[in-house]
Amino acid sequence: MNISKKLFISGLSLIMCMTLLAPMSAVYADDTETSEDEVVVSESDKPYLSLGADLSSTQLTTVLGLLGIDEDRFDEYNVTYVTNEEEHEYLDSYLSSSTIGTHALSSVVVIAADEGDGVTVTTKNITYCTSEMYENAMVTAGITDASAIVAGPMNISGTAALIGVIKAYSAMQDEDVDEENVDAALNEIVVTGDIAEDNDDAEALVAYLKEQVAQEDMSESEINEAIDLAEEKFDISLTDEQQEALAELLAKISDLDLDIDSLKSQAQAIYDKLGIDIDTDSFFATVKNFFGGIWDAIVDFFSGFFNSNDTDEVSEEKIEETQSEEVDTSESVEDSDTTVEETTETEEVEEDTEIQDETSSEDSEESEDTETTDSQDQEESSSDESINE
């Protein structure tokens, strides 16, 4: 009996141990199965940690496991902490105090990436912010070529985790991130998260618009027009409040000195990850094409209109020229008739003059003949008288 009792107790103890160890194995499940895009800390990496200051020892163990950090070597890592006071300092302008909470639990690890690799983020136990939201916001903060893992000890929103990412990156670069960039990045996380509640591809929408305002000097009205075009492009419908918040964010981002190439490559990476294939022409190119088409239609219309008028005017000019030619021809004919009449009259006058001259000549000859006759008669008379004498 004693042996059986001992075996029973030993078996029961083994089952209890296995039961207790099972949850611990589940915590580290993410380390054994990784996707192609998942960030993993390797032995050659020099990770920079930023931990929630309010983590309990048990929560710390859980978080370090999720981040892929060897707890036995914890003292060898560069570690910073984020307090709940800092979370309120940065986020009170965008979130309610109840949303931020009273405990800082979000934790991150940041690893330097090769130049040109861009920004990549993996999340664990984060229910509100997506990896694409963090990637977008990190680029807005001025972070380039870095990989990060964001984790919570249990399911949390992760809204404040970006503060830890920025602190860890600053430690890695040994340089503080500009406060304006930090504010814009945190604002972006909140605005994108709000849009994502009712719309898919919110991250792609924001990435696209950031690229537009960063490469073009846009006015307030142009930013609003860009948002309208982006809504159509991504098939997203925003409320008036979301449009206003997004416009304010974009105006803020437009004043930052961001790397355009980084924005473009990051936006394209998000499009690829989300399976989005869109035309990424700039806002002004899109507007130019749109209004260019309208302008061409207007030009074609009025060109046809004026060409028609020109044709009418040409026809009228030709008619006037023809009429003028007819008038000239008529006048020429009249001139010819006048000339002919004048010529005829002149010839008639000349003929009359010749006739008169001939008549005058005949009269003169007749007169001469008369005189000759009279002279002969006188001579004859004189001769007769002489004879008589």
Side-chain angles (χ1 to χ4, degrees), residues 80-208:
T80 60
Y81 293 90
V82 176
T83 66
N84 185 245
E85 288 76 12
E86 287 177 303
E87 292 178 342
H88 282 276
E89 177 186 348
Y90 284 107
L91 291 170
D92 274 346
S93 299
Y94 307 113
L95 294 172
S96 64
S97 296
S98 59
T99 302
I100 298 171
T102 58
H103 294 81
L105 302 176
S106 300
S107 300
V108 302
V109 60
V110 176
I111 310 162
D114 294 333
E115 184 176 354
D117 283 353
V119 174
T120 307
V121 176
T122 295
T123 62
K124 299 182 179 183
N125 287 344
I126 303 298
T127 60
Y128 182 71
C129 297
T130 65
S131 58
E132 292 80 20
M133 289 184 196
Y134 287 121
E135 290 166 357
N136 262 343
M138 287 169 67
V139 173
T140 300
I143 297 174
T144 58
D145 303 323
S147 299
I149 303 173
V150 180
M154 75 284 289
N155 286 342
I156 58 176
S157 67
T159 307
L162 184 62
I163 301 172
V165 172
I166 294 171
K167 291 190 73 170
Y169 181 80
S170 298
M172 183 175 70
Q173 296 294 320
D174 194 23
E175 183 180 1
D176 290 336
V177 177
D178 290 339
E179 288 296 321
E180 293 81 4
N181 291 67
V182 174
D183 176 67
L186 291 167
N187 187 2
E188 181 180 332
I189 280 281
V190 175
V191 170
T192 308
D194 181 55
I195 296 173
E197 288 185 356
D198 302 314
N199 298 279
D200 295 331
D201 303 332
E203 303 93 333
L205 171 78
V206 174
Y208 171 79

Side-chain angles (χ1 to χ4, degrees), residues 285-348:
T286 303
V287 172
K288 181 180 178 181
N289 292 336
F290 175 73
F291 287 105
I294 295 177
W295 177 253
D296 290 341
I298 293 173
V299 169
D300 290 342
F301 171 77
F302 282 103
S303 293
F305 176 76
F306 286 118
N307 286 338
S308 176
N309 286 345
D310 290 343
T311 302
D312 293 341
E313 290 177 1
V314 169
S315 299
E316 290 177 0
E317 288 178 358
K318 287 184 178 180
I319 292 172
E320 291 177 357
E321 288 177 359
T322 302
Q323 292 176 345
S324 177
E325 289 175 358
E326 290 177 354
V327 171
D328 291 342
T329 302
S330 176
E331 290 177 353
S332 177
V333 170
E334 290 177 358
D335 290 342
S336 298
D337 291 341
T338 302
T339 302
V340 169
E341 290 176 358
E342 290 177 352
T343 301
T344 302
E345 290 177 358
T346 301
E347 290 177 350
E348 291 177 353

Side-chain angles (χ1 to χ4, degrees), residues 187 190-192 194-196 198-199 205-206 209 213 220-232 236-252:
N187 187 2
V190 175
V191 170
T192 308
D194 181 55
I195 296 173
D198 302 314
N199 298 279
L205 171 78
V206 174
L209 287 169
V213 299
E220 180 179 347
S221 61
E222 288 170 338
I223 289 176
N224 289 325
E225 290 176 18
I227 292 173
D228 292 337
L229 289 174
E231 286 185 72
E232 295 181 10
I236 286 178
S237 179
L238 302 178
T239 65
D240 292 341
E241 292 78 10
Q242 289 172 335
Q243 286 183 335
E244 183 179 353
L246 183 55
E248 291 177 357
L249 169 65
L250 294 172
K252 190 181 296 184

